[in-house]
């Protein structure tokens, strides 16, 4: 269940179901010895308790799910996939041919990962992923999308001026590198296979995974360079 | 945190409208995680398909944009929640009146709960 929070600045303005209720808030006395929930929090709890009562939700299962997405699934999964592709050419081929089962080989599967397509960066081509419609994203390999991925400015600018977006993220591609923007949908989620950084010959899969950033798998960043990480000797 | 990642964050901060999360928590607030998990569970139960969800969410977002929401990502889960409320009503799971009744009951529950104690819904919270 939701942990207790103090009142936040949430407002329900513009939201159809509870607009009529906002007056009620002003009837509170202003003693602050009782608890207060934000308008949004109230709506979430209302919906959640109805769904539990009607048997649509099992509170324990819900908590497990939240825990999964909050901590277990995340860009580290994707980093493992990239590192494997960098070290195992046969895996790389499978990943480019049919990403979902290849990713499944590492044990990553599940919601929103049913139809993942891998797009490979090369010196000639840089790939970048956006969802112009809403925020479709390959959850099993990248977790939940970052805030900026869901923002209108990113969605619009990625299509109109991808090179400018990359500049916003702090890097410039050579003018000879083409940029291709992929629009993820509810059916197809794109996953970028970045280029293996130079100077990493002989690195283990674990070490390489440390170089893979979330943004490099969306195409709004590059993997770290070897001099940007402390290479831990002896990891396998 | 690497130096160029810092630089990248700095750059995106400088650009109005693209908020970045610095690899922080995926959810900014617990309610977002709950709203997310509810949609995932209802989908798993077959209440809606993901294409149906994506279309409804996109519609919610474009309505909000038309109404002046800058949609910088920070209101994203509000759109998500509004989509949930709409879909459960459309599917006949509940309706807006029931949602409003429960919302008010939770408000009463919060009012009678001393600060710092867990808030629980009791039958008397529905009395008004």
């Amino acid at each position: 269940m939701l942990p207790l929070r103090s009142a936040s600045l949430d407002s329900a303005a513009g939201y159809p179901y509870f607009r009529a209720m906002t007056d009620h808030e002003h009837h509170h006395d202003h003693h602050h010895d009782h608890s207060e929930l934000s308008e949004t929090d109230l709506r979430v709890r209302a919906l959640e308790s109805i769904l539990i009562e009607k048997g649509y939700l099992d509170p324990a299962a819900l908590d497990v799910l939240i825990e999964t997405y909050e901590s277990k699934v995340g860009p580290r999964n994707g980093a493992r996939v990239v590192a494997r592709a960098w070290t195992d050419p046969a895996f790389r081929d499978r990943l480019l041919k049919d990403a979902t089962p290849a990713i499944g080989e590492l044990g990553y599967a599940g919601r929103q990962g049913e139809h993942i397509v891998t797009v490979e960066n090369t010196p000639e081509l840089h790939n970048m992923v956006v969802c112009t419609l809403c925020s479709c994203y390959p959850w099993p390999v990248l977790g939940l999308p970052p805030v900026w991925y869901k923002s209108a400015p990113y969605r619009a600018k990625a299509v109109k001026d991808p090179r400018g977006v990359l500049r916003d993220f702090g890097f410039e591609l050579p003018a000879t590198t083409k940029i291709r923007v992929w629009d993820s949908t509810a059916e197809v989620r794109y996953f970028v296979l970045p280029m293996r950084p130079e100077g990493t010959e002989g690195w283990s899969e674990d070490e390489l995974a440390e170089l893979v950033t979330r943004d490099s798998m969306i195409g709004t960043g590059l993997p770290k360079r070897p001099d940007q990480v402390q290479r831990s000797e002896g990891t396998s | 945190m690497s130096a160029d990642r810092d630089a990248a964050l700095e750059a995106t901060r400088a650009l109005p409208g693209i908020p970045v999360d610095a690899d922080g928590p995926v959810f900014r607030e617990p309610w977002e995680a709950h709203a997310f998990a509810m949609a995932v569970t209802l989908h798993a139960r077959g209440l809606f398909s993901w294409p149906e969800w994506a279309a409804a969410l996109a519609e919610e977002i474009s309505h909000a944009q038309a109404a002046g929401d800058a949609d910088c990502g920070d209101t994203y889960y509000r759109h998500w929640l509004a989509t949930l409320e709409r879909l459960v009503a459309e599917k006949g799971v509940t309706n807006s009146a029931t949602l409003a009744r429960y919302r008010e009951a939770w408000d009463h529950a919060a009012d009678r709960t001393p600060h710092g104690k867990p808030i629980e819904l009791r039958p008397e919270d529905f009395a008004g």
Side-chain angles (χ1 to χ4, degrees), chain A residues 154-177:
Chain A
Y154 173 73
R155 300 201 315 250
K157 192 168 178 180
V159 174
K160 277 183 289 195
D161 179 18
R163 215 170 276 274
V165 168
L166 299 184
R167 237 172 263 133
D168 296 336
F169 276 85
F171 72 98
E172 186 92 33
L173 284 177
T176 51
T177 304

Side-chain angles (χ1 to χ4, degrees), chain A residues 3 33 43 81 103 115 130 132 137 161 168 172 196 221 236:
Chain A
D33 52 354
R43 285 165 59 197
V81 172
I103 289 165
H115 303 289
V130 67
T132 50
Y137 196 71
D161 179 18
D168 296 336
E172 186 92 33
R196 179 170 173 165
S236 55

Side-chain angles (χ1 to χ4, degrees), chain A residues 67-98:
Chain A
E67 159 83 5
T68 303
Y69 280 105
E70 272 182 329
S71 58
K72 290 181 193 153
V73 183
R76 294 333 299 158
N77 291 358
R80 306 287 321 178
V81 172
V82 169
R84 173 71 56 90
W86 284 346
T87 53
D88 179 346
F91 177 79
R92 174 187 158 277
D93 290 346
R94 290 197 294 280
L95 183 67
L96 292 175
K97 207 169 149 208
D98 193 358

